[in-house]
Amino acid sequence: MHLCFDGSQRMEQTMSIFVKESYFYKRFFALTAAIALQNLIVFSVNLADNVMLGAYQESALSGVALVNQIQFLLQMLIMGIGEGMIILSSRYWGSRNLKPIASVTGLGLRLGLAVAGFMWLVVFLFPHAVLSLFTKEEAVIYEGVNYLQIICFSYFFFAVTNIMIATLRSVETVRIAFVVSFSTLIINVCLNYIFIFGHFGAPELGARGAAIATLTARIIETVIIFVYVKAIDRKLRLKLKDLLPFDKELFLRYLRVGAPVILSNAVWGIAMAVQTAILGHMGKEAIAANSIATTVFQILTVVTYGSASATAVLIGKTIGEGRSSVIREYAKTLQMLYLIIGIVTGLGLYFCKNFIIGFYAVSEETKALALQFMTVLSITVVGTAYQMPSLTGIVRSGGDTSFVLYNDLIFMWLIVLPSSALAAFVFHFSPLIVFICLKSDQILKCAVAVVKVNRYRWIRLP
């Protein structure tokens, strides 16, 4: 009888971890699914470029992979700007105070275009010098420069589109992001087929053809998002005149919330570029294998990233509604959901890796490296699925936006990058050992996340 009592008591305690209100699950899974689907299509654009360029020429694949690190840095900065907007705007949405959201959007567009303009200027004027930071392989740099000289013009359109999507996401409008991303995928794949290989009478342009395809798709997606905001959206009804006024007080408030987020994303984006540079100096096979493994990893982790974004909206809105009493219960449930997502994703990556690698026309050495890298990622993804949404979703949206910045600085710049550089250039370990060092923080951060989230000191009321 005593054992039965203990067992039922433990079961009751386990069940108490999970939130009982159905609204929570409906909104979490609906937002996660919609954002994950959008991210799936976004990353599928890169996968299409990878596969089609891999079938065309391995040097072109490696060159574009290097340029995509610059795109990733831009993406992280724009996401940082957008996440800062979501933290503020979702609270206004929760309190049904819509007017400041337009001002926040205007601030986000100014910052996004400034970042895009600066990065365009650097890579447009010094493309060879920038890519030489990643590798000394001249054939790879040549293909990368051909791609970069065109793709850099897409930075402006990418910034505008994603700032507007962040604004809409903060008020729980997520379907339009799927439409935008899906149109980009279809256009990009079709134009890739035409311009990379020279079909239907078009010239065979290789990497430059892929760049033209992506630039065209970015322009069209910007047009789509503006048409939606102007003619279809009924929540915000944004007009150009609403975006132009500069609210100094709101700007300072945004900086307090958003600056640590932007800096954290910048640190992460730069660190990813440094990681690519470390592998890049180990040969073009390592560059191509890393590109394949990372792209596949991004495809399979869309639910993880979707769960982080969904968490940010839910926690921010709940605080804005003044229901801070339920946030602890939400946090406990979310952590369990993250672990389930991570285990499923890891198993999916491990069992799909051989099937996926069959689509790539690359050397046997590159294939073998890519399979090894994906095996490592199938383990570390469980850590990623837990710690990343816990820290960037729960902690950051709860109001403690500085912690993630400090955490990333310590783990990435004091542990991961130094150990990886030593492994590559001092001890001359294999690319696999270096890759393990590069991904080790995804497991190590879990201990920090467990302690931070469950102390609940991150809850900052407005």
Side-chain angles (χ1 to χ4, degrees):
M1 291 294 292
H2 180 68
L3 290 174
C4 291
F5 174 76
D6 285 349
S8 62
Q9 188 177 51
R10 283 195 297 270
M11 179 64 73
E12 185 179 343
Q13 289 174 344
T14 302
M15 293 302 292
S16 68
I17 292 174
F18 292 95
V19 174
K20 293 182 173 59
E21 56 181 271
S22 59
Y23 167 81
F24 169 83
Y25 295 103
K26 287 179 181 177
R27 293 312 301 153
F28 175 77
F29 286 115
L31 287 169
T32 297
I35 296 168
L37 192 57
Q38 184 219 343
N39 289 339
L40 175 64
I41 296 170
V42 169
F43 291 133
S44 294
V45 173
N46 290 338
L47 181 63
D49 283 350
N50 263 299
V51 172
M52 297 176 87
L53 284 170
Y56 178 75
Q57 186 185 74
E58 190 166 322
S59 292
L61 169 62
S62 298
V64 172
L66 296 185
V67 175
N68 282 341
Q69 289 304 309
I70 302 169
Q71 172 69 29
F72 181 74
L73 175 58
L74 173 68
Q75 183 176 330
M76 292 303 295
L77 290 169
I78 298 301
M79 281 176 59
I81 295 169
E83 287 168 15
M85 293 169 54
I86 289 173
I87 292 170
L88 275 184
S89 297
S90 61
R91 294 188 178 193
Y92 290 126
W93 172 242
S95 61
R96 291 298 185 266
N97 183 12
L98 302 184
K99 187 176 180 181
I101 297 178
S103 298
V104 173
T105 303
L107 291 174
L109 286 171
R110 288 180 176 91
L111 289 171
L113 287 172
V115 168
F118 176 75
M119 292 189 64
W120 171 84
L121 187 65
V122 172
V123 300
F124 184 75
L125 295 178
F126 312 105
H128 190 281
V130 170
L131 294 182
S132 295
L133 298 173
F134 295 97
T135 184
K136 300 303 179 186
E137 300 267 356
E138 282 300 325
V140 173
I141 293 174
Y142 173 79
E143 294 292 342
V145 168
N146 285 337
Y147 185 80
L148 184 57
Q149 287 176 329
I150 296 172
I151 202 66
C152 63
F153 288 95
S154 73
Y155 294 172
F156 300 99
F157 301 101
F158 177 84
V160 170
T161 299
N162 283 275
I163 293 299
M164 297 307 299
I165 286 175
T167 295
L168 293 169
R169 188 175 291 169
S170 70
V171 297
E172 301 179 88
T173 298
V174 292
R175 291 182 181 177
I176 182 59
F178 165 75
V179 174
V180 168
S181 300
F182 187 72
S183 68
T184 301
L185 175 62
I186 298 301
I187 294 166
N188 193 63
V189 169
C190 292
L191 293 182
N192 271 350
Y193 180 76
I194 293 171
F195 291 121
I196 290 176
F197 302 101
H199 292 296
F200 302 113
E204 182 181 322
L205 299 175
R208 294 179 70 86
I212 292 170
T214 302
L215 174 59
T216 304
R218 295 295 184 208
I219 293 171
I220 293 174
E221 72 179 12
T222 303
V223 172
I224 292 173
I225 200 73
F226 269 109
V227 169
Y228 179 85
V229 170
K230 180 69 177 176
I232 300 173
D233 177 60
R234 290 293 177 266
K235 288 182 180 177
L236 295 175
R237 300 178 183 272
L238 291 176
K239 298 180 175 60
L240 182 61
K241 65 179 182 180
D242 299 327
L243 307 177
L244 296 178
F246 181 80
D247 187 326
K248 183 179 178 181
E249 183 179 344
L250 188 62
F251 176 66
L252 293 175
R253 186 176 184 187
Y254 174 81
L255 284 183
R256 285 194 296 271
V257 172
V261 180
I262 297 169
L263 286 173
S264 177
N265 281 23
V267 166
W268 187 255
I270 294 169
M272 290 300 102
V274 174
Q275 288 191 17
T276 300
I278 291 173
L279 286 171
H281 285 82
M282 302 185 79
K284 65 179 181 180
E285 291 82 8
I287 299 173
N290 182 52
S291 175
I292 293 168
T294 302
T295 303
V296 173
F297 174 77
Q298 289 173 336
I299 293 288
L300 292 176
T301 54
V302 292
V303 177
T304 292
Y305 289 95
S307 69
S309 297
T311 297
V313 174
L314 279 174
I315 296 292
K317 183 185 179 186
T318 303
I319 292 175
E321 292 171 338
R323 297 194 303 128
S324 57
S325 59
V326 302
I327 292 178
R328 289 192 177 206
E329 192 178 359
Y330 281 8
K332 290 178 182 178
T333 299
L334 287 166
Q335 289 176 80
M336 297 300 294
L337 294 175
Y338 299 154
L339 284 173
I340 294 170
I341 290 169
I343 292 169
V344 172
T345 304
L347 290 172
L349 179 56
Y350 182 80
F351 288 111
C352 291
K353 65 182 189 300
N354 288 288
F355 173 75
I356 295 168
I357 202 69
F359 288 99
Y360 286 89
V362 293
S363 67
E364 290 303 315
E365 183 179 353
T366 299
K367 284 185 178 180
L369 267 180
L371 287 172
Q372 291 175 350
F373 289 176
M374 282 190 274
T375 301
V376 173
L377 290 172
S378 68
I379 298 169
T380 62
V381 71
V382 180
T384 304
Y386 173 73
Q387 60 84 15
M388 192 275 290
S390 291
L391 295 174
T392 65
I394 297 175
V395 173
R396 186 182 277 173
S397 61
D400 190 348
T401 58
S402 299
F403 181 82
V404 176
L405 171 61
Y406 302 142
N407 193 52
D408 285 343
L409 283 170
I410 292 170
F411 274 98
M412 186 57 67
W413 294 95
L414 297 182
I415 299 175
V416 170
L417 293 179
S419 65
S420 302
L422 287 171
F425 305 126
V426 177
F427 300 110
H428 303 291
F429 289 148
S430 67
L432 174 61
I433 300 300
V434 174
F435 191 80
I436 290 172
C437 292
L438 290 171
K439 302 304 174 185
S440 60
D441 63 316
Q442 299 305 304
I443 301 297
L444 297 174
K445 285 180 182 176
C446 290
V448 175
V450 169
V451 174
K452 180 64 179 179
V453 173
N454 294 294
R455 282 184 174 178
Y456 304 105
R457 296 175 184 173
W458 43 267
I459 302 175
R460 309 284 170 83
L461 300 179

